[in-house]
Amino acid sequence: MVLYENDLVKVVEELRLKGYSDTFIIKDNLIVSEETNLGFEEDDVLIEGAYQFDITEEAFNTQNLFALFIPKEGLRGLMIDLLGMYTYMEDQTISRMLLNVPLIPYIYDDADPYFKYGLKKVTPGEFDKNSERYVLRVGYPDFPACPVGSAFSMLGFDEQAQEYIWLATSIIKDSRLRRVAYKAGQAPV
C-alpha cells in the first residue's frame, strides 16, 4: 500500500482515515486488539503494510509501523513500534513474524535533530560518553502522551536531569542500557 506522507505521525493519520482504526500490541505471544481486548495468533493476522521510518539516511533512529487485518473479526488497525520493542526486544513467534516482513522505507528529515516527539533525543555518541546516566523505563504511569495516539510502554529516562528522553534505536539494543520496570505502588520518579 503506497503512502502519501513520510512522517510517522501523518502516516498514522492517513491510515486511520483508510479504516485502520484499531491499535494492536503484542502481549503473551499474541497480537492483541486494544479495542476488543481479543488476542490473535500469527495465522489469524494479515500484514497489509509494513513501513520503516528513518530520520536520516544514516539512520540511528528508526520507527516501524504495521497495518494489520484480522479477517475472521473484520478488524483493521495499526501496530506502532516506536522503540523497536516488538521487532527487537520480544523474542516470540509474533515478533519474529514482524522481523520477516519486508519493510518499505521512508526517510523523514527531522526539522530538529536534537528533539523527537517533544523529548530530547540522545544519540549513540552521547550515550557512549555516559551510558550509566540513562535507563529504559518500562510500564511507568507518568510517561508523556504519545504523539501517534497510542501509549508508550517504555521510554528512555535521564537519571541525572530527571526527565524522559528519546533514545536512538541502536541504544535500545545496547547491552549497557539498564531496563527498569515499574512496580505497583512505587513512586514514578
Side-chain angles (χ1 to χ4, degrees):
M1 173 180 358
V2 177
L3 301 173
Y4 297 103
E5 299 285 352
N6 67 354
D7 175 317
L8 178 63
V9 174
K10 290 179 180 174
V11 166
V12 167
E13 291 172 12
E14 179 183 334
L15 289 171
R16 295 278 189 221
L17 290 172
K18 290 181 178 181
Y20 291 88
S21 57
D22 205 337
T23 300
F24 294 100
I25 60 171
I26 292 179
K27 185 177 177 185
D28 300 326
N29 203 28
L30 296 171
I31 291 185
V32 176
S33 159
E34 288 194 332
E35 195 171 286
T36 66
N37 207 32
L38 296 173
F40 305 98
E41 295 183 356
E42 179 180 0
D43 294 340
D44 299 327
V45 179
L46 293 176
I47 299 176
E48 296 186 320
Y51 312 97
Q52 179 180 42
F53 297 88
D54 292 331
I55 303 308
T56 65
E57 291 190 37
E58 301 83 36
F60 57 79
N61 193 8
T62 300
Q63 295 92 57
N64 298 323
L65 175 67
F66 302 93
L68 306 180
F69 178 50
I70 314 294
K72 73 179 186 181
E73 297 292 328
L75 295 174
R76 278 197 163 77
L78 303 175
M79 181 178 296
I80 303 164
D81 194 7
L82 292 177
L83 297 168
M85 67 184 171
Y86 297 134
T87 50
Y88 299 114
M89 296 188 71
E90 301 273 339
D91 186 23
Q92 301 178 31
T93 308
I94 294 292
S95 56
R96 285 191 293 271
M97 174 185 83
L98 298 176
L99 282 170
N100 291 325
V101 174
L103 295 163
I104 299 170
Y106 287 83
I107 305 295
Y108 176 68
D109 186 16
D110 229 354
D112 188 344
Y114 302 106
F115 282 85
K116 180 76 180 167
Y117 302 133
L119 300 170
K120 180 184 179 286
K121 191 183 324 180
V122 174
T123 65
E126 288 175 277
F127 181 76
D128 286 341
K129 289 177 188 171
N130 196 0
S131 64
E132 57 280 342
R133 174 180 179 163
Y134 307 105
V135 298
L136 183 67
R137 285 187 165 185
V138 179
Y140 274 68
D142 65 338
F143 288 149
C146 179
V148 292
S150 189
F152 290 114
S153 61
M154 60 182 178
L155 202 53
F157 190 76
D158 180 337
E159 291 188 319
Q160 184 176 328
Q162 289 292 298
E163 65 185 7
Y164 283 106
I165 54 170
W166 186 267
L167 297 170
T169 306
S170 61
I171 297 171
I172 302 291
K173 299 182 266 183
D174 193 305
S175 62
R176 296 173 295 167
L177 180 65
R178 292 178 290 127
R179 286 156 175 75
V180 181
Y182 178 76
K183 294 176 181 94
Q186 161 186 350
V189 180

